[in-house]
């Protein structure tokens, strides 16, 4: 804390994040960034419906539901669990994409069924690179593509346009409701 009793966002000791994060950057800076960049600006790390709506309202061209690989803050929800609420908040006004947690073709199918327009692949790509260089990456991506194609076929979908929430099992489609109920205390006498 500083002398005014406010928490400082500057890290202590190692300066790994000091060069990556500017604590003074805020939503009002998005308009400036859009003008300065001259290209579409997509906000990564959106996990709440409030942030998704704010991104739309402040001119973002898209949002990426991401925990940045889960390495920055413990206790965050899985991106697949946050996705439906973000999609609902955006209401089709800008694309919603998903990063973090894609490991299988069925993960891609589920993300698209829940409203993502695209997914990003991080760790599997890196694992392939570490295990076999460029050929390892190619192999990982081929496996992921083949699993996705198989999942589409097994759910009777011939195109991306045919993927909707009906491909999800009721447990997956209602996962957010179930999790919400699990977090509520039991009713008296139940």
């Amino acid at each position: 804390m500083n002398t005014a009793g406010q928490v400082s966002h500057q890290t202590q000791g190692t300066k790994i994040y000091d060069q990556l994060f500017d604590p003074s950057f805020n939503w009002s800076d998005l308009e400036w960034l859009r003008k300065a960049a001259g290209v579409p600006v997509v906000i990564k790390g959106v996990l709440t419906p409030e942030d998704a709506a704010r991104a739309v309202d402040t001119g973002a061209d898209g949002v990426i539901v991401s925990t940045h690989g889960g390495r920055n803050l413990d206790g965050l929800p899985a991106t697949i669990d946050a996705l439906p609420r973000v999609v609902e908040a955006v209401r089709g006004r800008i694309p919603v994409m998903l990063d973090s947690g894609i490991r299988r073709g069925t993960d891609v199918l589920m993300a698209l069924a829940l409203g993502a327009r695209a997914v990003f692949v991080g760790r599997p790509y890196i694992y392939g690179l570490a295990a076999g260089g460029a050929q390892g990456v190619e192999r990982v991506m081929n496996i992921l593509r083949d699993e996705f194609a198989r999942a589409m076929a097994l759910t009777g979908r011939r195109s991306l346009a045919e993927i909707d929430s009906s491909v999800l099992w009721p447990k997956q489609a209602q996962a957010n409701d179930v999790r919400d109920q699990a977090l509520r205390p039991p009713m008296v006498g139940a």
Side-chain angles (χ1 to χ4, degrees):
M1 285 194 189
N2 62 21
T3 56
Q6 298 172 333
V7 175
S8 170
H9 293 288
Q10 295 298 316
T11 58
Q12 302 297 317
T14 66
K15 298 190 183 251
I16 188 167
Y17 287 116
D18 291 348
Q19 295 175 2
L20 299 175
F21 299 115
D22 179 354
S24 68
F25 191 84
N26 60 59
W27 288 106
S28 64
D29 294 321
L30 183 58
E31 184 177 337
W32 166 84
L33 180 60
R34 289 185 74 223
K35 287 178 185 175
V39 297
V41 174
V42 176
I43 307 298
K44 182 179 179 189
V46 174
L47 290 173
T48 67
E50 296 81 13
D51 282 347
R54 187 113 186 239
V56 171
D57 293 343
T58 55
D61 297 294
V63 294
I64 301 173
V65 178
S66 176
T67 60
H68 309 291
R71 295 179 308 274
N72 292 309
L73 187 61
D74 288 341
L76 292 176
T79 55
I80 200 73
D81 295 332
L83 178 62
R85 291 182 179 112
V86 170
V87 168
E88 184 179 328
V90 167
R91 298 189 322 258
R93 296 174 288 174
I94 59 175
V96 176
M97 295 153 275
L98 182 90
D99 183 37
S100 303
I102 300 296
R103 302 292 185 268
R104 300 179 303 269
T106 52
D107 295 333
V108 177
L109 182 71
M110 187 184 306
L112 296 176
L114 291 172
R117 294 270 296 275
V119 299
F120 295 87
V121 179
R123 280 193 197 150
Y125 182 99
I126 298 299
Y127 294 156
L129 183 63
Q135 289 178 331
V137 172
E138 184 177 353
R139 178 76 177 125
V140 164
M141 297 311 291
N142 285 336
I143 290 169
L144 191 61
R145 185 193 63 227
D146 292 347
E147 288 176 352
F148 176 55
R150 187 175 307 112
M152 283 183 63
L154 290 171
T155 58
R157 302 314 191 265
R158 294 171 299 209
S159 71
L160 295 175
E162 294 179 3
I163 298 172
D164 61 19
S165 63
S166 68
V167 304
L168 302 173
W169 289 92
K171 182 179 178 183
Q172 292 170 321
Q174 298 170 357
N176 290 325
D177 293 336
V178 171
R179 283 188 190 91
D180 287 347
Q181 291 172 5
L183 295 175
R184 293 186 195 126
M187 293 175 31
V188 175

